[in-house]
Amino acid sequence: MEKKTNQTIFSIFTLLLLFSSCVSAQLRTGFYQNSCPNVESIVRNAVRQKFQQTFVTAPATLRLFFHDCFVRGCDASIMIASPSERDHPDDMSLAGDGFDTVVKAKQAVDRDPRCRNKVSCADILALATREVVVLTGGPSYPVELGRRDGRLSTKASVQNNLPQPGFNLNQLNAMFNRHGLSQTDMIALSGAHTLGFAHCGKFSNRIYNFSPRTRIDPSLNSGYALQLRQMCPQRVDPRIAINMDPTSPRTFDNAYFKNLQQGKGLFTSDQVLFTDQRSRATVNSFANSETAFRQAFISAITKLGRVGVMTGNAGEIRRDCSRVN
């Protein structure tokens, strides 16, 4: 009886492995070669135009892609208008410019008669993410395509599915591992914090009331902590935002990791990558070598883009990214 049970478990496990590998196998570069051959250049031009209007386009689009993929997979469910994932507190701080980037790129794609209603919002978000990385000086990389758009988006599905600013290394690894992402992937993706900003309330505990014994988090560089206090005085307007990378906030580079070495990680979940011995070597490697960081980031964001995707006839190709067909 035990032998039969073990065989059944093994068979189920094998099927699951086959299924997950088939899903990512159905994503491929050149997916739209016949149906919309110019999709990449159309998205590139639309994103570039939006980026010229506001720099926020870059961090907003990157963060949008991450939030989408970690909840229900990379299916553009984050794009669906309220009531949806967007009502959850973790998503309410997503900048409107990220959504607008995808909407404008989708409109541009659909203006081409060959492409109309053939390219998913999920794929447009994946392509737009690559473009903002390149526009800010980061690496270019091939984007696998063929995702379908999801039909479900709920506030409840976001709960406990996005990393929090106070996470320790075990919590970060557990969440990323759930999506098939390694510790190295997690550290490389955290490097995207080289762009963008955070609201004061997300880290104020580190500079005002860390513990009964010390008001400032001892892992925080003391000079940086005082700077943060000046920029985020107590009872400050919660909409005030601070650059996550104090040295080169508009450039996609490895400065984030150099900052961690100096105790200048804005969130606990940033600084812990250096303070925890288990991840410190990777941080040092990325701080010492821009090339090592870029290669690891390309690998990690490609793996992120495969998380929970729907392909083939699953889901739909949304005509309007903000609502199901």
Side-chain angles (χ1 to χ4, degrees), residues 8-317:
T8 306
I9 291 168
F10 180 74
S11 300
I12 291 168
F13 182 68
T14 307
L15 280 169
L16 284 171
L17 276 179
L18 280 170
F19 175 73
S20 63
S21 63
C22 284
V23 166
S24 60
Q26 287 171 13
L27 291 183
R28 64 181 194 274
T29 55
F31 181 84
Y32 296 103
Q33 203 169 341
N34 297 321
S35 55
C36 182
N38 298 326
V39 63
E40 298 203 19
S41 60
I42 296 170
V43 171
R44 182 173 300 121
N45 291 334
V47 174
R48 193 171 291 160
Q49 250 183 319
K50 174 71 182 171
F51 180 75
Q52 284 166 354
Q53 291 166 7
T54 172
F55 175 81
V56 178
T57 300
T61 304
L62 246 176
R63 191 162 173 244
L64 190 65
F65 184 57
F66 182 84
H67 278 233
D68 183 46
C69 292
F70 258 47
V71 179
R72 293 189 183 276
C74 311
D75 66 347
S77 53
I78 188 66
M79 294 294 301
I80 295 173
S82 180
S84 67
E85 292 170 24
R86 287 157 75 165
D87 298 314
H88 192 279
D90 287 353
D91 282 339
M92 287 173 85
S93 62
L94 289 168
D97 287 302
F99 296 97
D100 192 48
T101 300
V102 178
V103 168
K104 285 194 162 55
K106 170 73 168 168
Q107 288 169 347
V109 168
D110 282 352
R111 276 197 293 272
D112 185 323
R114 291 173 297 177
C115 302
R116 192 166 298 132
N117 302 328
K118 287 177 183 166
V119 182
S120 68
C121 300
D123 276 346
I124 288 173
L125 176 53
L127 286 168
T129 300
R130 190 257 313 270
E131 296 312 323
V132 297
V133 169
V134 172
L135 284 165
T136 49
S140 186
Y141 54 90
V143 177
E144 297 174 340
L145 301 169
R147 296 167 193 80
R148 304 272 290 180
D149 295 324
R151 293 190 176 100
L152 278 175
S153 182
T154 65
K155 179 181 174 180
S157 62
V158 181
Q159 193 66 25
N160 302 320
N161 278 317
L162 290 168
Q164 299 301 306
F167 269 14
N168 61 34
L169 189 66
N170 289 340
Q171 290 169 309
L172 287 167
N173 278 332
M175 185 164 280
F176 279 73
N177 289 345
R178 282 209 311 254
H179 300 297
L181 296 161
S182 68
Q183 178 174 286
T184 302
D185 295 327
M186 178 270 290
I187 297 168
L189 289 169
S190 298
H193 283 173
T194 185
L195 301 175
F197 49 84
H199 296 100
C200 293
K202 291 289 182 184
F203 57 87
S204 59
N205 65 309
R206 296 189 72 205
I207 55 175
Y208 288 114
N209 51 8
F210 181 69
S211 74
R213 291 179 65 187
T214 172
R215 294 183 72 185
I216 295 176
D217 182 345
S219 71
L220 195 58
N221 178 295
S222 56
Y224 184 47
L226 295 176
Q227 277 183 320
L228 291 174
R229 279 186 166 193
Q230 286 180 332
M231 293 185 281
C232 288
Q234 287 178 301
R235 292 176 292 280
V236 71
D237 183 335
R239 291 169 298 182
I240 296 290
I242 303 301
N243 288 327
M244 295 205 70
D245 173 353
T247 53
S248 54
R250 287 175 170 247
T251 307
F252 191 98
D253 56 19
N254 65 341
Y256 168 83
F257 301 103
K258 293 176 181 176
N259 294 333
L260 296 186
Q261 291 175 320
Q262 298 168 44
K264 294 180 180 179
L266 192 60
F267 293 161
T268 301
S269 58
D270 292 314
Q271 195 57 49
V272 76
L273 303 179
F274 184 74
T275 55
D276 196 305
Q277 295 286 349
R278 294 170 295 168
S279 48
R280 182 179 291 180
T282 307
V283 170
N284 287 337
S285 165
F286 293 167
N288 295 335
S289 169
E290 182 97 46
T291 303
F293 166 50
R294 284 171 172 248
Q295 288 172 346
F297 180 80
I298 290 169
S299 172
I301 202 154
T302 301
K303 284 166 75 173
L304 175 65
R306 296 170 183 160
V307 170
V309 295
M310 290 185 288
T311 58
N313 293 318
E316 63 184 18
I317 304 290

